[in-house]
Amino acid sequence: MLISVSFKPVSRLLAAFTLLGLVMAAPAQAQRKKNPDSAANADGSLAAAGTPAARLARLQPLFGGLTPEQATQLFGAVQLKAIAASFASADEASTFFTTKGYEYLRENQPDTAAYRFNLAWLLNPQNAEAFRGLGILASSQPTPDAAIDLLNKGFALSPDSTLLMSDLGTSYLMRYGQTKKKKDLKAGMDLLQRVTTLEPTNGTAWQQLARGLYYEEKYPEAWEAVHKGQAQSIGSLDFDLITDLLAKQPDPQGKFK
């Protein structure tokens, strides 16, 4: 099958994350008309639960960088307890709101998703998927620094998660593309190689690994990774990458022109 790379490729950012293929960066920026500097009052104290500052903080990862104790104060301990009481346990409630967060991401409602992920984290600060969801949201920022920080927090809690490995590895490659720091390239490649070893059917991880191999100027190996990913999922193809690869070396299999 010959595939001509002659159309506008999808954004690398949209192909970067394995679960969702996100499309929320622009709406996220459009909805946040104010700059929620923090949940703090002028005297440094936390804003009271229910105030505009508190509501805005709910839309920021980890309520704008608060500790669970501070975030509970901001959210309202009574309200949080009432929410948890609707479930068999706080952990079960946390899992529920994580699932809802991903649903809202798929529906392109990033602010609502952020609130759900923050609530999931508040109910269970050990919920790795809450950090992953917030990390995906943070990927809409100009640099992947915040996403990497959040994904690393989740990865520390769930070091066997191939989803976190893939997202984190991809984020490191994105930062390497901006900064050219070799430690980011190495970190990203190490994670993506682990993913493709543990989960060889992960087409998106193969495409991201191919991007790293392209950065390393290993063009034959990059093409091989592209085709391995294509064999798993046509939808995983990164046509930006294919265009870049074609400029360096023809496709050895002749499928892309």
Side-chain angles (χ1 to χ4, degrees), residues 48-76:
T51 63
R55 288 193 292 270
L56 285 170
R58 295 181 183 189
L59 307 182
Q60 305 309 303
L62 309 182
F63 292 84
L66 300 182
T67 66
E69 294 76 19
Q70 291 173 322
T72 298
Q73 177 186 342
L74 182 74
F75 185 86

Side-chain angles (χ1 to χ4, degrees), residues 147-247:
I148 288 172
D149 181 61
L150 289 160
L151 292 168
N152 264 316
K153 286 181 169 66
F155 189 51
L157 294 168
S158 184
D160 295 327
S161 168
T162 54
L163 289 171
L164 277 161
M165 286 182 208
S166 185
D167 292 348
L168 185 55
T170 297
S171 296
Y172 276 121
L173 290 190
M174 291 170 64
R175 189 160 71 182
Y176 174 79
Q178 294 179 353
T179 68
K180 304 305 180 186
K181 292 183 178 179
K182 291 185 177 180
K183 64 178 182 180
D184 285 334
L185 178 59
K186 183 181 186 305
M189 291 298 286
D190 287 348
L191 287 164
L192 291 165
Q193 285 166 347
R194 285 180 63 189
V195 176
T196 53
T197 298
L198 293 169
E199 195 176 274
T201 59
N202 190 327
T204 300
W206 280 112
Q207 302 302 330
Q208 298 304 323
L209 182 64
R211 168 60 64 182
L213 291 165
Y214 170 83
Y215 284 145
E216 293 178 338
E217 300 183 0
K218 298 178 179 177
Y219 305 126
E221 292 93 333
W223 276 118
E224 183 180 356
V226 166
H227 289 301
K228 285 182 177 179
Q230 178 192 11
Q232 301 303 324
S233 169
I234 289 289
S236 72
L237 287 171
D238 178 350
F239 288 98
D240 277 351
L241 171 61
I242 291 169
T243 298
D244 292 342
L245 272 173
L246 286 170

